[in-house]
Amino acid sequence: MDYIISVYRKPKNYGKLENAHSKSESNPFCGDRIELFVKIENEKISEIKFTGEGCTISIFSAEMLSENFIGKNVNEIKSLSDEDYLKLLPISLTPTRQKCALLSFRIMKNILRDLEKN
Amino acid sequence: MDVKKIREDFPIFRKMINGKRIVYLDSTATTQKPYQVIEKIKEFYENYNANVHRGIYSLSEYSTELYEKSRENVAGFINAHPEEIVFVRNTTEGLNLLSYSFLWNFLKPGDKILISMMEHHSNFIPWVRLKHFNIDVDFINITEEGYLDLEDLKNKLDKRTKIVSLSHVSNVLGTINDVNEISKIVHDNNSIFVVDGAQSVPHTPVDVKKIDCDFIAFSGHKMLGPMGIGVLYGKYDILKEMAPFLSGGEMIKEVHINNIIYEDPPLKFEAGTPNVEGSLGLSAAIDYLKNIGMENVRDHEKRLTDYAFKKMDEFDDIVIYGPKNVEKRGGVISFNFNNGNRYIEKELIKNDIFVHPHDVAGILDSENIMVRSGHHCAEPLMDFYRIPATTRASFYIYNDEEDVDILMDGIKKVRKVMKIG
């Protein structure tokens, strides 16, 4: 828990990115809201930042997502399921708290899906 | 009131999690059920199950009688006539019934409906949706302390205002709105007064004649009864003029290809096979509450709230939303860790004094303390206070001072884990 709280209080990738793909979504259960900014170069994630407000789990997850996904291939991320994503986090979560953790992952997936459509 | 003895009536409180008892502080969301209610439902299915208002055979006659007796019991509980009691699923359905039916033959474009900033979504969305039909909806302001601004109500009431729909007790702030006074103001304007009684009928004596409201809706599961049964009370003369909501079986006198004659209220509003087990469970819950006495329920919760306020005073970083005066509020305590400030001025992430209610509830849960965290289906109210959420502890007849003490220990743990204070 101490580790989660220290990440939550000072997430490294908190902030905005100019000229990036971005999307903001909230968790209808609790009102947590995250805006994700993603830059992609040659099908690889080059930069991720986020802003928003939420509980320790949702902010922690957004920070973990940004740290884990930078450098990853877009298709690799697309192929991840919710379960795969939750396994990347160094904590086990109850079903309700999983929703907090999955918020940023859902936004990431939606950004990639929108890009595919366009 | 002997809380320890009351608790013995609730099988769920025998349950231990990690060797510790449950401290249930979420009765505003739903209450636990005494065995008297659980047994009544079991008894119905084991002895009397048959569809109501249909069969000629004895079982059906008997189940009909039981169902109608439940209606009489509900009516007596709020000082209404049985034919003014419509069984619905819950408060939400009761209020949806009204907005739908009023739209059918009462409201017209340009009419106005008044609600307030402290409404639960169930008394918000059914009305706001009507904007689609060019019906205006306006919102009565609240004060910073969480009282309804009666001057604002008077200012916003006008000729176009057909309906005023307000909560009796706020599910977030605990505020008890002065419905007797509001009823006079609203009726002086010839508007219809609808009361959301979800948080009042379970917790305090409610007399519809005294309030003189035109409608009140409430849920069985928030007053020891089962889920899936609720009540809409309406003045008979108005119910008679209203269009049905759901239609189908049970709600008709005659059906021909070119002519349908509806039943009289309340059956006109009870299409389909009703929730008979639910009505019996609710009736048993009402018996249980009557046995304690609603005045005693109210006094008990007032005393607990006062006790909790005094204890929470120790924590100067905690802010409590809603009135401080326990005479003017119910046993619902919404709070935040935010250096004692109601509003959040900075981005949360850069704010090391705020603890997100999800984290508060998560840490309390590790001690078997069950509270609600989130927007409590009152997002406009969260917007008003510029907060994403609150933590809410609420009391009922099975809670006591010891529960409050355990909650306080839990709050200390939250501060320690989250490294604040």
Side-chain angles (χ1 to χ4, degrees), chain A residues 1-2 5 8-9 11 14 28-32 51-57 59 96-97 100, chain B residues 347-356 358-359 362-363 374-375 379 388-389 417-420:
Chain A
M1 194 71 196
D2 277 5
I5 290 164
Y8 164 73
R9 290 293 186 207
Y14 190 83
F29 283 95
C30 52
D32 283 3
T51 62
E53 53 195 36
C55 63
T56 46
I57 305 296
I59 299 294
T96 324
R97 299 312 289 273
C100 312
Chain B
E347 271 182 282
L348 291 187
I349 200 80
K350 292 172 189 157
N351 170 338
D352 54 5
I353 46 176
F354 183 79
V355 182
H356 196 285
H358 257 185
D359 296 320
I363 295 164
H375 51 57
E379 284 190 69
V417 173
M418 298 302 295
K419 302 186 187 347
I420 55 159

Side-chain angles (χ1 to χ4, degrees), chain B residues 123-140:
Chain B
N123 193 31
F124 192 94
I125 302 169
W127 304 115
V128 174
R129 280 184 84 198
L130 301 185
K131 282 185 178 178
H132 178 76
F133 300 95
N134 293 318
I135 289 155
D136 289 343
V137 181
D138 205 351
F139 309 92
I140 304 161

Side-chain angles (χ1 to χ4, degrees), chain B residues 62-73:
Chain B
Y62 201 66
S63 80
T64 305
E65 195 183 316
L66 289 173
Y67 182 61
E68 292 304 325
K69 278 236 154 43
S70 302
R71 197 191 303 277
E72 284 171 28
N73 202 18

Side-chain angles (χ1 to χ4, degrees), chain B residues 174-192:
Chain B
T175 316
I176 302 173
N177 287 317
D178 186 352
V179 283
N180 297 24
E181 173 68 16
I182 295 168
S183 181
K184 281 187 205 115
I185 298 170
V186 172
H187 285 146
D188 279 347
N189 194 60
N190 294 320
S191 310
I192 283 183

Side-chain angles (χ1 to χ4, degrees), chain B residues 73-118:
Chain B
N73 202 18
V74 171
F77 190 61
I78 56 169
N79 193 22
H81 292 295
E83 59 269 30
E84 296 173 314
I85 300 298
V86 179
F87 281 125
V88 288
R89 276 195 303 146
N90 43 37
T91 309
T92 299
E93 187 174 288
L95 295 167
N96 274 276
L97 185 160
L98 290 178
S99 75
Y100 181 91
S101 175
F102 286 148
L103 184 64
W104 193 271
N105 66 357
F106 177 65
L107 292 167
K108 54 183 190 311
D111 284 349
K112 192 166 99 177
I113 294 166
L114 276 180
I115 58 177
S116 87
M117 290 302 292
M118 67 167 85

Side-chain angles (χ1 to χ4, degrees), chain B residues 47-271:
Chain B
N47 297 286
Y48 311 113
N49 179 50
N51 211 334
V52 294
H53 301 130
R54 279 172 181 67
I56 300 298
Y57 50 92
S58 61
L59 271 187
S60 173
E61 301 260 4
Y62 201 66
S63 80
T64 305
E65 195 183 316
L66 289 173
Y67 182 61
E68 292 304 325
K69 278 236 154 43
S70 302
R71 197 191 303 277
E72 284 171 28
N73 202 18
V74 171
F77 190 61
I78 56 169
N79 193 22
H81 292 295
E83 59 269 30
E84 296 173 314
I85 300 298
V86 179
F87 281 125
V88 288
R89 276 195 303 146
N90 43 37
T91 309
T92 299
E93 187 174 288
L95 295 167
N96 274 276
L97 185 160
L98 290 178
S99 75
Y100 181 91
S101 175
F102 286 148
L103 184 64
W104 193 271
N105 66 357
F106 177 65
L107 292 167
K108 54 183 190 311
D111 284 349
K112 192 166 99 177
I113 294 166
L114 276 180
I115 58 177
S116 87
M117 290 302 292
M118 67 167 85
E119 300 312 316
H120 187 282
H121 292 167
S122 64
N123 193 31
F124 192 94
I125 302 169
W127 304 115
V128 174
R129 280 184 84 198
L130 301 185
K131 282 185 178 178
H132 178 76
F133 300 95
N134 293 318
I135 289 155
D136 289 343
V137 181
D138 205 351
F139 309 92
I140 304 161
N141 290 332
I142 60 170
T143 66
E144 201 183 317
E145 208 191 335
Y147 289 108
L148 195 72
D149 183 344
L150 288 189
E151 285 311 306
D152 195 47
L153 162 68
K154 287 176 195 163
N155 289 336
K156 283 175 178 159
L157 266 176
D158 58 20
K159 271 191 191 153
R160 295 192 299 128
T161 311
K162 290 291 162 66
I163 297 162
V164 178
S165 188
L166 296 170
S167 52
H168 190 172
V169 176
S170 158
N171 72 311
V172 180
L173 304 168
T175 316
I176 302 173
N177 287 317
D178 186 352
V179 283
N180 297 24
E181 173 68 16
I182 295 168
S183 181
K184 281 187 205 115
I185 298 170
V186 172
H187 285 146
D188 279 347
N189 194 60
N190 294 320
S191 310
I192 283 183
F193 184 38
V194 179
V195 177
D196 169 357
Q199 300 303 341
S200 62
V201 177
H203 300 279
T204 191
V206 169
D207 180 327
V208 293
K209 297 256 158 43
K210 252 189 219 160
I211 300 172
D212 191 30
C213 55
D214 299 298
F215 296 92
I216 188 165
F218 55 97
S219 300
H221 73 96
K222 292 187 197 289
M223 52 191 290
L224 310 178
M227 293 180 176
I229 186 83
V231 174
L232 176 69
Y233 155 84
K235 282 183 182 163
Y236 193 79
D237 289 345
I238 308 178
L239 285 176
K240 230 170 83 182
E241 299 302 320
M242 282 167 60
F245 173 42
L246 301 176
S247 54
E250 189 94 11
M251 49 79 77
I252 41 85
K253 280 180 176 162
E254 279 181 47
V255 182
H256 308 286
I257 287 176
N258 296 320
N259 185 29
I260 298 170
I261 304 173
Y262 298 123
E263 261 289 6
D264 296 324
L267 293 186
K268 179 165 86 174
F269 301 100
E270 292 182 2

